[in-house]
Amino acid sequence: MGKMVYLCTPIIAIVMIYLNDDIPGFDLEAALPLLSDQRREQALKFKFEQGRKTCAMAYLLLCEGLRREYGIGEKPVFEYGEHGKPSLVGHPEIHFNLSHCRQAVICAVSDRPVGVDVESVREFHDSLVRYTMNDREVEQIECSSDPRWEFIRLWTMKEAVLKLSGTGISDNIKDVLTGFRHSIETVENRQRGYVYSVVY
């Protein structure tokens, strides 16, 4: 279920990425019995099928990662930190992060804290760029051969950094990447129209 990409830095951490970009082909009804009661309830709270699908897909990617990397077969249950970042009940040594957009769902699993964000490439307003990017990043976007892709690339990097820390969107969104010392990997899927970034 989904594609796997392995990102590794010696000694520091190993990050496993599980991604599925076939949202239309996902069978929600078949998936619902595979979810924990907690996750099924979360999925069914979404008004539209797209939200229900991506919620279920993200959970099943996590299940696949836990099974492959840690031999964990039971359905994981989440607990949540102060700012809503989930962790695994009974497995504090395992870190994960989930994200989804209209085109893809992604899960990162690691032995260290990890953040991941996936976003669809779309048109954006200049006001959003000015609100979220510092002067250097604005120039980077404006000088890019394709500003839409450059903006989304930088946005996913910032989101992934914030999700790593578990703080969510913050007032200093412009300077999130300034002086940041962790590893950031960014992948563009031009054919399918999305970008994801992983921070570890």
Side-chain angles (χ1 to χ4, degrees), residues 14-169:
I14 297 176
V15 181
M16 286 70 70
I17 298 297
Y18 293 84
L19 183 143
N20 188 335
D21 59 10
D22 184 19
I23 297 174
F26 183 75
D27 187 341
L28 179 61
E29 292 307 312
L32 287 175
L34 305 176
L35 309 182
S36 67
D37 293 342
Q38 178 194 50
R39 192 65 172 185
R40 188 182 310 111
E41 183 179 332
Q42 290 171 342
L44 294 177
K45 282 182 180 177
F46 284 90
K47 182 176 180 181
F48 298 108
E49 186 179 58
Q50 173 85 0
R52 294 180 176 190
K53 279 188 171 186
T54 54
C55 183
M57 290 171 74
Y59 183 83
L60 293 180
L61 288 177
L62 174 62
C63 289
E64 181 178 351
L66 294 175
R67 188 168 51 249
R68 286 177 179 264
E69 311 305 332
Y70 297 96
I72 297 173
E74 67 265 21
K75 297 175 182 177
V77 176
F78 300 161
E79 54 189 357
Y80 296 89
E82 180 185 353
H83 299 285
K85 184 175 182 178
S87 57
L88 296 176
V89 172
H91 294 283
E93 76 283 5
I94 300 174
H95 301 268
F96 73 96
N97 208 226
L98 308 171
S99 183
H100 56 80
C101 64
R102 288 172 303 181
Q103 275 76 30
V105 179
I106 193 167
C107 169
V109 182
S110 181
D111 61 353
R112 300 288 176 90
V114 63
V116 67
D117 187 55
V118 61
E119 299 286 345
S120 305
V121 175
R122 57 195 178 277
E123 297 298 330
F124 56 85
H125 295 292
D126 185 63
S127 58
L128 181 61
V129 175
R130 301 285 170 183
Y131 181 74
T132 58
M133 303 291 160
N134 61 35
D135 291 342
R136 182 183 56 78
E137 292 163 345
V138 169
E139 184 179 357
Q140 222 174 299
I141 292 165
E142 290 176 344
C143 293
S144 170
S145 59
D146 195 332
R148 293 181 314 149
W149 283 86
E150 186 64 15
F151 171 71
I152 294 297
R153 187 182 72 80
L154 289 167
W155 177 259
T156 61
M157 291 169 68
K158 290 180 183 236
E159 276 271 20
V161 168
L162 292 170
K163 291 178 73 178
L164 171 76
S165 66
T167 58
I169 297 296

